[in-house]
Amino acid sequence: MGSTLNVSSAQARLSNIVSGDDVVAISKRETVRGYYVPAARMEALLDSIDFLSNPKALAALTKYRAGKMKFKTLAEVERELEASDAR
């Protein structure tokens, strides 16, 4: 994470904060009250949250990490799709 600034410092440096790539914590009376998170980082966080909130995706990730996921070639998948279309 980047730095922690009090509200006054964050206001004074807002242009620099917004043009940077760092996460900045903003405090008031020595207590962090909020964060500035660059848009690209926020989008990545939201994508991760969305992915991890999907039970099927999480199960697939768990299976992959355990080394139990079976991979297929594109040709194998195409053959399976053609076979299912023929039914």
Side-chain angles (χ1 to χ4, degrees):
M1 187 168 93
S3 58
T4 300
L5 299 174
N6 64 34
V7 173
S8 299
S9 295
Q11 287 173 327
R13 299 178 190 173
L14 186 59
S15 181
N16 290 339
I17 293 169
V18 172
S19 63
D21 293 327
D22 293 331
V23 173
V24 178
I26 301 172
S27 65
K28 184 175 183 179
R29 296 192 181 115
E30 299 183 21
T31 301
V32 173
R33 300 292 183 151
Y35 296 90
Y36 166 76
V37 181
R41 182 111 180 241
M42 190 66 192
E43 289 171 10
L45 287 169
L46 292 172
D47 285 344
S48 295
I49 290 168
D50 187 45
F51 177 81
L52 294 172
S53 67
N54 179 326
K56 288 183 179 181
L58 191 54
L61 179 61
T62 302
K63 190 175 180 180
Y64 171 76
R65 286 183 172 168
K68 297 179 181 178
M69 185 170 276
K70 181 182 175 189
F71 292 92
K72 298 178 181 180
T73 66
L74 179 58
E76 290 172 322
V77 172
E78 288 173 341
R79 280 193 299 273
E80 287 178 9
L81 288 173
E82 287 172 5
S84 67
D85 287 344
R87 293 181 198 160

